[in-house]
Amino acid sequence: MTHIRHFCTYFDHNYLPRGMVMLESLKEQCPQAHVHVLCLSEECYSALSRLAYPHVSLMRLEELEAADPELAATRTTRSLVEYYFTLTPCLPWWLLTQNEHINEITYLDADLMFFSSPEPLFVEAGDAAVILTPHRFSPHLADLARYGLYNVSWITFRKTRAGLDCLGWYRASCLEWCGDRLEEDRFADQKYLDLFPQRFADVHVLRHNGAGVAPWNLAATSLTKSDKTVMANDQPLIFYHAHAFKHVWGPFYASGLSSYNTHLKSAAIQYILKPYSMYYTQSKRKVVTMLPISKFTGIRSEKKSTLRSTCRQLLTEWKKKTLLVC
């Protein structure tokens, strides 16, 4: 009998195209994956219901709030993005503690794309109770470590004493404070991860070079291709974190690199960003047939787009050599 790998994530209708890329690429690379999606809007729930992915279970935000009153009580105490960050430990906590058949859960950010099987990460971690993804900042971005050594994109928790202790502490910490700002040793849902290896046993930090390639480490990542496999520093690329990737207009996309002083290189364009943009565009086309939406924003509020602001963004991305044309 095939061992099911349980994953979880959350997003709303604005993030649907990104979420669809993640869900579809994960299933392609990990046939035994089952993903529990917390839908943050009714539009998201409706669209995913119509798509009817066989490897996806859906849950409305209202259902989680009813099951977790402590979480629901924080909603009026913080901004929407801070409330969404608070969900990060609460969703896997609910899934692990309320489902006897789930013994391991991996939280994934919605803006990932899988390029090869994630099984090597589980093999590397062995029996670890918690698995963390390091940022691996490029040398010129080393100062960003103040926001956290580890990235929230992939966090695995196992239903062991150490795993539940760690996840329980993480949940309690985010319920207490989850500000969208750097404050001493805290930043959103992310900087708490720095304390995991110090406070808890059996925490494994991934060493695999193909885990968590992202705009903040792309400058230090050598990308090549062997047969049909994209290699990141001589190991298969497992997943790319398309943070801040955005469709600007027509064939133009913001690659997500402009905030990290990293220029686009041909290998990154050919092996990662063009494939991502292709899948993203296909997903977006599916979504617009189901929902009356043409512009997809992030979880932070954005100003209404105008022709002037679009032109300004295109010019900025072009000057910084981070504009992707597909």
Side-chain angles (χ1 to χ4, degrees):
M1 185 175 179
T2 302
H3 173 64
I4 297 175
R5 291 286 186 195
H6 288 275
F7 300 85
C8 65
T9 189
Y10 59 80
F11 51 88
D12 67 4
H13 55 282
N14 285 306
Y15 244 63
L16 255 174
R18 296 172 175 88
M20 290 165 63
V21 172
M22 188 273 284
L23 293 173
E24 294 175 12
S25 65
L26 175 60
K27 184 62 174 179
E28 181 179 349
Q29 301 299 337
C30 183
Q32 67 274 35
H34 188 89
V35 189
H36 304 263
V37 178
L38 178 64
C39 301
L40 303 183
S41 67
E42 191 59 32
E43 295 92 337
C44 178
Y45 187 91
S46 174
L48 288 177
S49 296
R50 290 180 61 181
L51 288 167
Y53 294 121
H55 67 296
V56 172
S57 295
L58 303 180
M59 182 180 187
R60 290 181 170 92
L61 178 57
E62 292 78 7
E63 296 176 60
L64 180 60
E65 290 174 329
D68 190 344
E70 290 181 297
L71 165 66
T74 69
R75 187 162 192 166
T76 59
T77 69
R78 52 199 65 181
S79 69
L80 183 60
V81 68
E82 291 172 339
Y83 185 62
Y84 285 174
F85 289 153
T86 308
L87 299 172
T88 301
C90 293
L91 177 59
W93 173 262
W94 187 87
L95 290 168
L96 269 188
T97 58
Q98 300 301 315
N99 293 271
E100 61 181 21
H101 65 283
I102 299 180
N103 294 310
E104 168 196 281
I105 192 77
T106 299
Y107 168 81
L108 299 175
D109 272 348
D111 52 351
L112 308 182
M113 180 172 173
F114 284 82
F115 287 78
S116 64
S117 172
E119 281 304 304
L121 306 185
F122 292 108
V123 172
E124 178 193 309
D127 295 327
V130 180
I131 305 175
L132 291 178
T133 308
H135 273 113
R136 298 192 188 92
F137 291 114
S138 298
H140 74 286
L141 299 172
D143 63 318
L144 293 182
R146 66 185 185 276
Y147 292 98
L149 299 173
Y150 310 107
N151 188 257
V152 179
S153 57
W154 169 303
I155 319 173
T156 299
F157 297 97
R158 292 207 169 99
K159 193 182 289 184
T160 63
R161 174 60 65 84
L164 290 175
D165 284 350
C166 181
L167 179 54
W169 177 84
Y170 184 30
R171 173 180 171 274
S173 298
C174 286
L175 289 175
E176 178 183 348
W177 188 93
C178 206
D180 186 24
R181 60 188 181 279
L182 183 62
E183 184 178 287
E184 298 178 353
D185 59 348
R186 302 184 296 190
F187 173 66
D189 56 347
Q190 182 167 276
K191 199 166 173 59
Y192 291 122
L193 307 184
D194 286 10
L195 299 178
F196 284 12
Q198 302 172 30
R199 297 178 65 104
F200 303 98
D202 299 327
V203 176
H204 178 79
V205 178
L206 290 171
R207 298 185 298 271
H208 197 292
N209 294 324
V213 176
W216 44 83
N217 57 44
L218 199 53
T221 303
S222 173
L223 296 171
T224 56
K225 202 164 190 179
S226 176
D227 294 326
K228 295 183 179 180
T229 303
V230 179
M231 308 294 287
N233 292 337
D234 299 321
Q235 288 187 290
L237 172 62
I238 294 179
F239 66 90
Y240 178 74
H241 191 171
H243 176 78
F245 181 93
K246 179 184 176 183
H247 180 227
V248 182
W249 176 79
F252 301 107
Y253 297 80
S255 63
L257 304 183
S258 62
S259 298
Y260 300 97
N261 296 317
T262 299
H263 297 165
L264 277 173
K265 295 181 180 179
S266 58
I269 296 172
Q270 181 179 353
Y271 300 146
I272 296 179
L273 293 169
K274 280 201 171 182
Y276 186 88
S277 67
M278 179 184 70
Y279 281 105
Y280 175 86
T281 301
Q282 290 174 352
S283 297
K284 183 178 176 181
R285 286 172 181 164
K286 291 180 186 177
V287 173
V288 297
T289 66
M290 296 183 286
L291 299 174
I293 300 173
S294 59
K295 179 179 173 58
F296 298 86
T297 61
I299 58 175
R300 291 179 174 84
S301 60
E302 297 183 11
K303 295 181 179 179
K304 184 176 180 180
S305 179
T306 63
L307 178 59
R308 178 175 294 182
S309 64
T310 298
C311 292
R312 187 183 301 116
Q313 182 174 14
L314 287 172
L315 181 60
T316 299
E317 296 283 342
W318 178 76
K319 286 182 176 179
K320 290 186 175 183
K321 300 180 180 179
T322 56
L323 184 66
L324 180 66
V325 184
C326 296

